């Protein structure tokens, strides 16, 4: 489980930390930096996938020109906070009973021939370092293991994945690095595309794509357990006005599986004509109930296209699934209705991103840490507080005040 993300000189953050829980909500004005946080998580996901720094930042394309990995927004020129020499990310994780911290600092390559290089990297389990890539002169590039050994590495790819694959070290290092790589690589960034969700899919294609690809086969997999199928149908009934009794997955002559929603009156509606909101619900349900749901799902504006009356049901479902463990969900939002619906646990994991006046950097603060936040939430509701601009006002007051105190 991911517990925190620290961003140093990454895009518009100088040094900020986001607390991450089972369900994490990030609010903030337009252009405050919410999606920059997503970009930071994507960078780490790219590490988990074993890519080089150049691939993670600039994209990875096959010989046919097709993209396997999209570049980070802004790519090479805008990933580091303007006028800074390097950026760093530090992610906190719990792996079983152990706390792990993985840090990486990245700079542009000296002559820009290979894009970027690692200037510092470290993996800690508890307080102990498993390995460190120290800040060495440019020509020297090695990592130091906890047993004192030095291993030469390449400078253009994170040491984490190089160490995991290395034959020069004992299996212990693979056992230490693999769970971290898996946790990073299994983060998911769902940006459902209605066209993709409507497409029939081939049997066996049971990994939900980031655009919602393979929705029919993933749902079919979930429904192969009758009890799960009933839970799924009952959520569709709750979340939409349709009286859905079950889902069916008839094959077409080419063998592709179609998604049909069967209503109580015997009518069947195919994914082609199911409503956009219904498909959005289905893809979220597929993510939450899918077999390999040992992941963190990142949604940009989860509330997008969903009626406010149904939104609290969706929030409720995510909170229940996330609190069971295994799955984590992180969403950005502008919706007061979503904020009004979250429970006390999620409130503790709700943060606001804000750019203060006269400063192009953004700050991240837990909403619960703002003055009187808990009392005000009880009295007025978080949705109303958000609508009134209270979070930003509270930040301007407290942060400006802090700065003035620092100056004096
Ligand atoms: N390298 C950088 N250095 C400093 N600031 C940057 C850098 N790259 C991007 N930014 C800032 O980040 C802003 C974009 O932030 P982001 O896309 O995360 O906004 P957002 O909170 O997701 O907004 P919205 O709600 O509109 O989607 C840009 O307007 C720019 O000011
Ligand atoms: Mg955004």
């Amino acid at each position: 489980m991911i517990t925190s993300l620290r961003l140093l000189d990454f895009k518009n953050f100088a040094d900020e930390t986001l607390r991450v829980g089972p369900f994490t909500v990030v609010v903030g004005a337009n252009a405050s930096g919410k999606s920059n946080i997503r970009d930071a998580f994507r960078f780490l996901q790219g590490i988990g996938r074993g890519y080089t720094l150049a691939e993670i930042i600039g994209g990875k394309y096959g010989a046919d020109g097709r993209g396997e990995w999209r570049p980070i927004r802004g790519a090479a020129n805008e990933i580091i906070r303007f006028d800074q020499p390097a950026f760093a990310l530090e992610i906190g994780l719990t792996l079983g009973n152990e706390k792990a911290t993985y840090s990486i600092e990245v700079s542009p390559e000296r002559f820009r021939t290979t894009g970027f290089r690692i200037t510092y990297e470290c993996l800690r389990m508890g307080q102990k370092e498993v390995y460190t890539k120290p800040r060495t002169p440019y020509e020297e590039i090695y990592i130091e293991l906890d047993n004192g050994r030095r291993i030469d590495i390449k400078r253009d790819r994170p040491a984490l994945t190089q160490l995991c694959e290395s034959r020069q070290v004992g299996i212990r290092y693979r056992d230490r690095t693999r769970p971290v790589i898996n946790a990073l690589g299994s983060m998911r960034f769902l940006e459902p595309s209605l066209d993709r969700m409507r497409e029939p899919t081939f049997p066996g294609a049971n990994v939900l794509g980031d655009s919602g690809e393979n929705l029919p086969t993933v749902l079919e997999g979930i429904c192969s357990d009758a009890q799960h199928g009933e839970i799924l149908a009952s959520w569709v009934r709750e979340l939409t006005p349709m009286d859905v009794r079950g889902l069916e997955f008839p094959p077409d002559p080419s063998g592709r599986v179609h998604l049909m929603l069967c209503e109580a009156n015997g009518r069947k509606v195919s994914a082609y004509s199911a409503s956009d909101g219904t498909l959005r619900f289905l893809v979220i349900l597929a993510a939450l109930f899918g077999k390999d749901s040992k992941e963190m799902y990142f949604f940009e504006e989860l509330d997008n296209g969903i009626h406010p009356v149904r939104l609290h049901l969706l929030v409720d479902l995510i909170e229940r699934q996330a609190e069971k463990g295994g799955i984590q969900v992180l969403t950005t939002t502008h919706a007061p209705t979503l904020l009004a619906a979250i429970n006390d646990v999620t409130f503790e994991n709700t943060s606001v991103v804000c750019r203060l006046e006269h400063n192009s950097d953004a700050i991240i603060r837990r909403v619960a840490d703002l003055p009187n936040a808990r009392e005000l939430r009880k009295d007025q509701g978080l949705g109303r507080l958000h609508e009134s601009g209270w979070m930003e006002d509270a930040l301007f007051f407290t942060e400006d005040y802090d700065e003035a105190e620092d100056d004096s």
Side-chain angles (χ1 to χ4, degrees), residues 10-13 28-39 73 77-82 300-301 332 334 353 355 360-361:
F10 185 88
K11 298 215 165 183
N12 63 343
F13 298 105
N30 294 114
S32 56
K34 300 180 299 300
S35 300
N36 292 341
I37 295 175
R38 179 206 52 200
D39 295 338
R73 280 187 320 159
N77 287 339
E78 291 175 352
I79 192 161
I80 303 177
R81 189 160 70 99
F82 296 137
E300 283 278 8
E301 296 167 24
T332 63
H334 291 294
V353 183
R355 261 168 76 163
S360 59
D361 301 334

Side-chain angles (χ1 to χ4, degrees), residues 54 76 106 114 124 157 171 197 227 244 250 323 336 339 352 356:
V106 174
T114 52
R124 275 188 211 92
R157 193 167 158 232
I171 195 161
M197 289 188 278
Q227 205 186 345
V244 170
E323 278 165 33
L339 292 172
V352 54
L356 299 174

